Amino acid sequence: MRIFLAGLAILSMTATPPSTVDGVWRTDGYGQLVQVSGGKLTTYDVTEVSCLPGALSGTGDGTTFSTNEGSVVTIRAGRMSFDDNLGVRSLRRVPGGLPPACRASSADLFDVFWHTFAENYPFFQAKGVDWKSEGDAARREIAAHPERLFDVLCGLIRPLHDAHVGLLAAGQHCSSPRPGTPDLKTTAPRAIAVADANLGSVPIRRWADGAIAYADLPNDLGYLRISGFHDYADTFAASSKVLAEALDEIFTAERVHQLRGLILDLRVNGGGDDPLGLQVAARLTDVPHFAYAKRARNDPDDPTRFTVPQPFFVQPAAAPRYTGPLTVLTGSLDVSAGETFLQALLNRHPRPVLIGQSTQGAFSDMLERTLPKPGWKVALPNEEYLDPHGRTYDGTGIGPDVQVPVFAPDDLAAGRDPALAAARR
């Protein structure tokens, strides 16, 4: 899922009449300001103690901006949207323009780090973490041993066991996914090789540098593996086109008529852009259905207050679609947009059968924040993705219907894939 940086700015006076969205805006949720001026978009990350330049910037015509991240941002009065992400962010105009603190900030790194989580992270209670008391202890430790700053901050986030939380500092990286999660970068290549070998001697077609793979199996079964929803091309629009072309070649009119069952393998899906997941889901149904609703924490003092949930639906594609039995292979390396894609399939009819292990439990888009020290950055989630009953799968992940080991070390060493074998049965 692509990082969801909030807050943007609007066009100031130029030789031509200003845009109606010129000025400075504050986002509901996401802790950011947005400034648009002279055809440029600039973001600022704000907390109670800081206002620092954000990572997202762009240039455009006053309402539509091509960004440094390959996405397109559209701003209308009171609204902001991204082509590579879902939902509309509400904007409130800031009288008087950019606050003075945004022009010259001398914020303390620890203060910015602590407040960034305190004001945006929604899951402290669910994780059993008292952020205030832990922060007080950490501040005392840093005062006594300032050379241990990175280790102390890392120690603060490790108990969260959240794959969307991370700290980067001058080449050092600290993260804390759910206990027992294998490393995606080292496990995925071996896991994919074992899965391919267990498909048998069938041709495997690949797209998007291997992120999408498909094979026709005996007995009119199909196997589709998607190992990520990101960076198929330089921009989101180009990535969407790459995906559409792959889906056209996979879901032909002849194939969707012949298939008796489809195995969808998401066990090594590292996430990316949610709209690409919905693009695939649109080829797997004839009937519109609820995918999920999305909301963001919206009160720096109260982690139980959120923006109004925005619902999203799977709409059948205007192209050949497969609507028969679907089995989905899941595991702890299915994370982020890989999980929201799976969540979007749960209300499909017929409902898919899930085989494997629980997904990672990290659904939210990520806020990426630059800390006031060169080379130091932090990332964290601030959203919930809700099912029709208002439940979130954050932390727990989506559990399987049939529990089967997924890429256990002994199975990988022996070249076995029991989850795939169960799906084929």
Side-chain angles (χ1 to χ4, degrees), residues 109-110 113 117 131 134 138 141-142 148-162 165-169 172-177 371 376-378:
L109 187 149
F110 179 86
F113 178 92
F117 279 85
W131 190 245
E134 294 294 332
E141 177 72 10
I142 292 170
R148 297 193 65 246
L149 177 61
F150 177 84
D151 292 336
V152 173
L153 296 185
C154 187
L156 271 177
I157 64 176
R158 284 201 184 281
L160 297 175
H161 298 305
D162 191 321
V165 169
L167 173 65
L168 180 68
Q172 300 182 84
H173 181 257
C174 174
S175 61
S176 182
L371 298 172
W376 286 60
K377 296 181 180 180
V378 68

Side-chain angles (χ1 to χ4, degrees), residues 27-271:
T27 59
D28 279 348
Y30 304 95
Q32 287 192 323
L33 297 177
V34 180
Q35 184 182 39
V36 177
S37 177
K40 295 182 179 180
L41 179 149
T42 311
T43 61
Y44 293 85
D45 303 328
V46 295
T47 71
E48 180 184 323
V49 299
S50 62
C51 179
L52 299 171
L56 185 70
S57 62
T59 58
D61 61 6
T63 57
T64 302
F65 301 86
S66 298
T67 76
N68 57 328
E69 296 179 347
S71 61
V72 175
V73 173
T74 301
I75 297 180
R76 299 285 186 264
R79 298 162 62 88
M80 177 174 68
S81 60
F82 296 70
D83 71 337
D84 65 343
N85 224 307
L86 299 173
V88 175
R89 298 185 186 182
S90 296
L91 301 175
R92 290 173 288 118
R93 190 179 289 277
V94 177
L98 199 64
C102 301
R103 302 188 183 99
S105 176
S106 58
D108 174 75
L109 187 149
F110 179 86
D111 284 345
V112 174
F113 178 92
W114 187 87
H115 276 276
T116 296
F117 279 85
E119 297 175 22
N120 294 285
Y121 191 72
F123 307 121
F124 289 122
Q125 182 175 356
K127 304 288 186 177
V129 172
D130 185 335
W131 190 245
K132 184 180 186 306
S133 64
E134 294 294 332
D136 291 343
R139 185 182 294 280
R140 291 192 295 270
E141 177 72 10
I142 292 170
H145 302 283
E147 75 281 359
R148 297 193 65 246
L149 177 61
F150 177 84
D151 292 336
V152 173
L153 296 185
C154 187
L156 271 177
I157 64 176
R158 284 201 184 281
L160 297 175
H161 298 305
D162 191 321
H164 272 173
V165 169
L167 173 65
L168 180 68
Q172 300 182 84
H173 181 257
C174 174
S175 61
S176 182
R178 196 174 69 202
T181 303
D183 180 72
L184 177 65
K185 290 183 178 179
T186 57
T187 302
R190 178 59 179 155
I192 288 173
V194 168
D196 286 352
N198 279 265
L199 293 176
S201 56
V202 298
I204 303 174
R205 295 196 60 190
R206 306 178 197 276
W207 299 263
D209 293 327
I212 304 166
Y214 180 82
D216 285 311
L217 305 179
N219 303 315
D220 293 326
L221 299 181
Y223 171 85
L224 172 61
R225 180 175 60 240
I226 304 177
S227 56
F229 289 110
H230 61 92
D231 298 333
Y232 299 161
D234 291 339
T235 66
F236 171 77
S239 291
S240 179
K241 183 178 179 181
V242 169
L243 178 59
E245 292 171 350
L247 295 177
D248 284 343
E249 294 183 39
I250 294 168
F251 294 107
T252 64
E254 180 181 11
R255 180 174 284 122
V256 298
H257 177 73
Q258 292 178 345
L259 283 179
R260 294 193 307 109
L262 177 66
I263 299 169
L264 174 60
D265 193 344
L266 301 179
R267 290 176 294 174
V268 291
N269 191 301

